Amino acid sequence: MFNLLQSETEKLQELIVPDSVQKAQLAETVHKLEKLTTLDYKQLLTDMAQEMGWILLKILLAFVIYFIGKQLIKWVVRIMDKAFTRHKVEASLRSFLRSLVKALLMVMLLLAIVQTLGVNTSSFLALFASAGLAIGMALSGTLQNFAGGVILLLLRPYKVGDYIEAQGQSGTVESIGLFSTCLKTPDNQTIYVPNNAIATSIIDNYSQSDTRRVDWTLSISYGDDVDVARREILAMLMADKRVLTDTAPVVYVKNLGESSVDLVIRAWVANADYWGLYFDMNEKMYKELPSKGINFPFPQMDVNIKNNK
């Protein structure tokens, strides 16, 4: 019991602050109050106004640098376009380089603005590099598309204006950007295909050559004269000025089907005339061949009924 009382007494003594400590704390408080009473508020306000003015001046200067920098970037891009036109640089490479240079100049402008605002650019660059690494890991697919765009421009499997088919999409190449290729379909749809997907896939470029072969498969009835059909078809083709005569059109028997004789027809045309000739000849053969004794069969089935009575 005595020990318990002694312990409680010691705890109570620890809670009681000695007089010397109380006097020291009181003296410190009085000293702080004296400083407040002797503070030069006018000088303080003057210093604050000067600091605010300097901050506003830096912000204004940053805006001026931004607007001047934007104009300079536009001027540089215009100079590049004139140089590309003078040296006849391909439109695909022109679009890619314009986007790349514009992006780099915008980064430089951002660094200039940050430095004007008083931020340490070395620290900012270190932070930017760290953030860039993290963002790069998160956006690895986007970086792959950028690399794919570089590969496409180096290898040049197609250019702006070519009609291509890739990744299940087909259309005329409108532009090759930093990350995607823009295609315009014949029915005026706009399709953006990632560059990396195209660079690693099979590409059908229908505009690579100046000429192209048109193929038809025509089925005629058994019993029709193949020689007559060949002669009439060749006469139709040779009468069309779009058919090239360097390589003469041909008509072969391709297959003996279940209910028809299949003919394969081949003719060479200029690339731009491919679809026009293809559709026109389909209609012309359908209208004119029946009058020459050539018939188009359709699927038939012979049914024999056997009477067992």
Side-chain angles (χ1 to χ4, degrees), residues 64-74 105-106 109:
V64 171
I65 292 175
Y66 171 76
F67 287 111
I68 294 177
K70 288 280 288 185
Q71 296 301 319
L72 287 176
I73 291 174
K74 291 180 180 178
L105 291 177
M106 286 299 296
L109 177 60

Side-chain angles (χ1 to χ4, degrees), residues 73 101-112 124-125 128:
I73 291 174
V101 171
K102 190 174 181 180
L104 292 176
L105 291 177
M106 286 299 296
V107 171
M108 294 174 62
L109 177 60
L110 176 62
L111 291 177
F124 181 79
L125 287 175
F128 185 77

Side-chain angles (χ1 to χ4, degrees), residues 33-51:
L33 290 175
E34 289 178 351
K35 281 187 175 181
L36 287 177
T37 56
T38 59
L39 187 63
D40 190 351
Y41 291 101
K42 184 177 181 180
Q43 182 63 35
L44 177 62
L45 293 175
T46 302
D47 294 340
M48 291 178 61
Q50 290 177 352
E51 289 295 329

Side-chain angles (χ1 to χ4, degrees), residues 137-163:
M137 295 178 64
L139 302 177
S140 58
T142 303
L143 296 178
Q144 290 176 358
N145 289 328
F146 176 79
V150 174
I151 293 174
L152 291 174
L153 289 173
L154 292 176
L155 301 181
R156 296 184 181 180
Y158 58 83
K159 61 182 183 298
V160 172
D162 287 354
Y163 188 88

Side-chain angles (χ1 to χ4, degrees), residues 85-104:
T85 303
R86 184 168 60 254
H87 295 285
K88 297 180 180 179
V89 179
E90 286 185 1
S92 54
L93 183 59
R94 182 186 308 180
S95 175
F96 186 87
L97 290 178
R98 185 193 299 114
S99 301
L100 181 61
V101 171
K102 190 174 181 180
L104 292 176

